[in-house]
Amino acid sequence: MELRHLRYFVAVAEEGSVTRAAERLGIQQPPLGLQIRALEDELGVQLFDRQPKRLSLNAAGVVFLERARQVLGVAEEAVEHVRRFDQGERGRLTVGFTSSASLHHLTPHLLRAFRQAYPLVRLEVDESETYGLILALEQRRIDAAFLHIGTEGFAGLASTVLAQEDMVVAIPSDHPLAPAPAVTLPMLSGQDLVVYRRPDGPGMFDGIMRAFAAAGVIPRVTDVVHRLIAAINLVAAGRGLTLVPASIQVLHPQAVTYRPLAPGALPPLPLYLAYRRDAGLALVRNFIAVTGRAAAARATLPR
C-alpha cells in the first residue's frame, strides 16, 4: 500500500464517483477503479457499497476514511516540516552570549528580529565566557555567538562586526573621581583597578592594557574577575574602578557612577557575531543574514 492508494481512496470516497474522482486526480477512470479494487483486495475488506452510478462508503469504509485522512495529514506535515527545515524556517538554533554581550542594547533587538522573521524556529540561548563559547562553536554545541573579540585566530570560525560601543569608567559613587565629567587614562594611575581574567575577556583586556602602556599608566590591580557583572559588583562595594563597555551602565546605578573616557583614550569595542565557516544549515545562514540586516538598520536609528 502506498500513499497514492490512500489519496485515490479519499478522492473516490469524497466524490462518491470514480469518474468525478478521476477528473479531480487527473488520471483515467479505469486505472483508478482498478486501484480501488486492489486496495480492497489488499485489505481483505470491501470499503464501498456499489450501485450502478454511485459508490457509497459502507461502515468499514467510513472508519478507513478517517484513518486515511490522518495518515495523509501526517505525511503532508512531514513533507512541509522537512522543506521548512531545509529552507531554514524550522529547527533549533542555539546562540551563545558573553555576559557583556548579553547586556548590549542591540542583542535583544536582533533576537526579536529573527523570531519575527522565523517564528517556527526554536531559539535557545547559552551564556558563558568568551573561550567557552568559542570552544562550544568549534564542537558544534552552539550555532552562533555574540562576542567582543573576532575569530581570526580560529581556523574553523568566522565573525562579523555588528556594532561598536564606547568604553566607560565605572567608579564607586563616593570616589573622588566620580564628579569628573570625563576621565583620562593618566587619571587612573595609582588607582585601585578591577580587571578581567584574560581568558574570559581577551578583547577588552588586551585593548585596555595596550592603551595603559601607550599612556605610560601602570595599573594597580586589586581584583581579577571572570565576569563583567562581578567587576561591577566589586566597584559597587568600593574595591576599585574598572573599565567596561557603555552598555554595562544599567548595573548598580545607585552605587556606581559611570564616566566617559576622554576622546581617543580607548578604541570602540566591537560586538561580533561569531559562527562556523562551514555553517551549512540554512537556519544558521538565515540567522547571520537577519542579524546583519537588523544591526545595519538599527545603526541608522537614534537610541
Side-chain angles (χ1 to χ4, degrees):
M1 187 184 303
E2 300 177 12
L3 288 177
R4 63 187 176 90
H5 296 131
L6 298 182
R7 294 191 184 96
Y8 294 164
F9 165 71
V10 170
V12 173
E14 291 177 347
E15 297 293 339
S17 164
V18 174
T19 301
R20 289 195 297 272
E23 292 174 355
R24 168 174 154 182
L25 294 167
I27 62 177
Q28 296 296 315
Q29 176 183 343
L32 177 58
L34 291 175
Q35 292 289 347
I36 296 301
R37 287 288 189 183
L39 176 62
E40 290 178 317
D41 290 343
E42 182 176 352
L43 293 172
V45 176
Q46 186 170 328
L47 302 173
F48 294 95
D49 291 331
R50 288 169 169 81
Q51 301 172 8
K53 292 186 178 181
R54 182 171 177 80
L55 293 178
S56 59
L57 288 173
N58 58 25
V62 170
V63 171
F64 192 66
L65 177 61
E66 179 183 359
R67 296 297 185 179
R69 284 170 170 164
Q70 289 175 356
V71 171
L72 291 173
V74 170
E76 290 171 3
E77 182 181 347
V79 170
E80 180 68 10
H81 182 88
V82 74
R83 283 176 177 167
R84 286 184 176 274
F85 177 83
D86 186 62
Q87 295 167 3
E89 298 177 4
R90 296 193 77 132
R92 184 181 71 177
L93 184 78
T94 304
V95 181
F97 294 87
T98 60
S99 59
S100 56
S102 68
L103 292 171
H104 195 284
H105 75 276
L106 190 61
T107 49
H109 172 76
L110 300 181
L111 294 182
R112 188 180 302 112
F114 182 75
R115 289 185 67 87
Q116 291 173 346
Y118 297 97
L120 298 179
V121 173
R122 179 181 173 185
L123 188 61
E124 299 181 352
V125 297
D126 179 20
E127 184 175 324
S128 185
E129 47 87 17
T130 299
Y131 278 122
L133 293 176
I134 288 175
L135 183 61
L137 275 174
E138 291 178 327
Q139 295 178 346
R140 301 180 183 274
R141 290 185 282 113
I142 62 175
D143 300 297
F146 291 97
L147 307 171
H148 279 304
I149 67 166
T151 57
E152 294 79 7
F154 303 91
L157 303 182
S159 56
T160 302
V161 176
L162 298 175
Q164 305 267 5
E165 67 174 321
D166 292 332
M167 298 288 286
V168 298
V169 184
I171 309 169
S173 293
D174 59 354
H175 191 280
L177 286 181
V183 176
T184 65
L185 292 185
M187 292 169 66
L188 299 178
S189 285
Q191 298 293 336
D192 293 337
L193 292 178
V194 179
V195 299
Y196 322 118
R197 188 173 70 94
R198 188 180 185 279
D200 300 315
M204 283 180 279
F205 180 95
D206 291 344
I208 291 169
M209 291 301 110
R210 283 195 297 268
F212 278 155
V217 175
I218 301 176
R220 187 170 69 195
V221 176
T222 59
D223 295 276
V224 178
V225 297
H226 296 264
R227 300 290 177 92
L228 277 173
I229 294 175
I232 295 300
N233 286 337
L234 289 176
V235 173
R239 288 284 296 172
L241 290 68
T242 193
L243 295 162
V244 294
S247 54
I248 299 297
Q249 295 178 85
V250 297
L251 299 176
H252 292 307
Q254 293 80 24
V256 178
T257 297
Y258 297 90
R259 288 290 179 255
L261 285 163
L266 282 176
L269 184 68
L271 176 68
Y272 293 90
L273 177 67
Y275 46 88
R276 291 185 297 276
R277 289 188 180 278
D278 64 348
L281 288 180
L283 183 59
V284 179
R285 296 197 299 272
N286 288 345
F287 185 74
I288 296 168
V290 168
T291 53
R293 289 195 300 269
R298 196 73 173 179
T300 65
L301 299 175
R303 286 189 221 164

